[in-house]
Amino acid sequence: MATKNWLKNLLQIFLQGLIILAPIVITIWALTSLFYFVDRILPDIFESIIPEFSTYYLPGMGFIVALLIIFTVGYVSSSFVVGKLVELFDSVLQKTPGIKIIYTTLKDFFEAFAGNKRKFDKAILVSVAATDVWQIGFITQQEVQEFGLNEFVAVYVPQSYAFAGHLYFVKRDRVRLLTDVSSANAMKFAISGGVTNIDEETHEKSK
């Protein structure tokens, strides 16, 4: 009996340590993996052209240069001349067979999260499976008449513990706008499978 209790306590201590360390380790791993991926983009390109470039490379250099390029492009894109060049390049990519599918999909994806055409800025509750069963979702299109659906909206419903999701066409009366929950908290709640808590401070501010 004493051995059984000792093993039970040992397991509880292990699980407690796992609960504390796992989110920290996984977060650090995700950030360092992202950092390394971005940091190696430009050096790999330069090294394929100039093999000697590796002797001058310092860890973090590629990441800093990538950030500078992104900020520079974002800043100069507001000018008239550069803006027209960007529009021209954008038009060419959108009309090039094969490339346009990849380019437009990626462009719309990034603009949905951070661009001027943000799609995930208003969280909703949507009833899809049954009348009294609700899921967290986001309206991505207010009109879907091109599909022959005049009274429907396009709703994206994220999956738990994944960044994948499902697209549904549902009637407007089966959608409830969440006014007391931010879109970020709603996405976090849906992806976590409902185990995370809504940020109380943000919840109070939204009232």
Side-chain angles (χ1 to χ4, degrees):
M1 190 69 178
T3 303
K4 185 177 180 180
N5 291 334
W6 181 81
L7 290 175
K8 183 178 179 180
N9 292 333
L10 187 63
L11 179 61
Q12 289 179 343
I13 294 173
F14 172 80
L15 292 176
Q16 184 65 28
L18 182 64
I19 292 172
I20 295 173
L21 287 178
I24 298 174
V25 173
I26 294 174
T27 300
I28 294 175
W29 171 81
L31 292 176
T32 53
S33 298
L34 177 62
F35 173 84
Y36 180 78
F37 172 77
V38 175
D39 189 46
R40 290 302 310 175
I41 294 177
L42 293 177
D44 287 344
I45 295 175
F46 284 120
E47 287 176 8
S48 64
I49 303 173
I50 309 174
E52 296 80 8
F53 177 81
S54 59
T55 59
Y56 303 99
Y57 168 75
L58 295 175
M61 181 189 300
F63 186 82
I64 294 175
V65 173
L67 288 180
L68 290 176
I69 292 175
I70 293 173
F71 278 113
T72 302
V73 171
Y75 178 76
V76 301
S77 63
S78 60
S79 66
F80 179 79
V81 176
V82 177
K84 289 298 181 182
L85 290 175
V86 172
E87 289 180 6
L88 176 62
F89 190 64
D90 177 79
S91 177
V92 171
L93 290 177
Q94 291 196 42
K95 294 178 180 178
T96 304
I99 296 178
K100 67 178 181 180
I101 298 177
I102 301 174
Y103 174 73
T104 55
T105 301
L106 290 174
K107 180 183 177 182
D108 291 341
F109 174 80
F110 282 103
E111 286 188 342
F113 281 96
N116 296 325
K117 302 177 182 178
R118 283 194 294 267
K119 299 295 184 180
F120 301 102
D121 55 346
K122 291 183 179 179
I124 63 165
L125 289 177
V126 57
S127 176
V128 177
T131 304
D132 296 327
V133 178
W134 297 87
Q135 294 172 279
I136 293 176
F138 300 85
I139 295 179
T140 55
Q141 295 290 342
Q142 293 283 356
E143 303 289 341
V144 288
Q145 296 178 353
E146 59 270 28
F147 292 96
L149 302 172
N150 296 325
E151 299 180 2
F152 287 68
V153 294
V155 173
Y156 168 78
V157 177
Q159 294 180 355
S160 298
Y161 298 100
F163 288 98
H166 298 284
L167 175 65
Y168 296 99
F169 293 148
V170 297
K171 283 193 172 182
R172 298 179 185 275
D173 58 4
R174 304 194 72 171
V175 171
R176 294 181 183 178
L177 182 64
L178 290 174
T179 57
D180 295 335
V181 180
S182 68
S183 58
N185 278 329
M187 180 69 80
K188 181 175 66 173
F189 189 83
I191 292 177
S192 70
V195 300
T196 188
N197 293 323
I198 298 297
D199 187 350
E200 294 182 358
E201 182 179 354
T202 304
H203 183 72
E204 290 296 329
K205 288 181 180 179
S206 62
K207 290 185 177 180

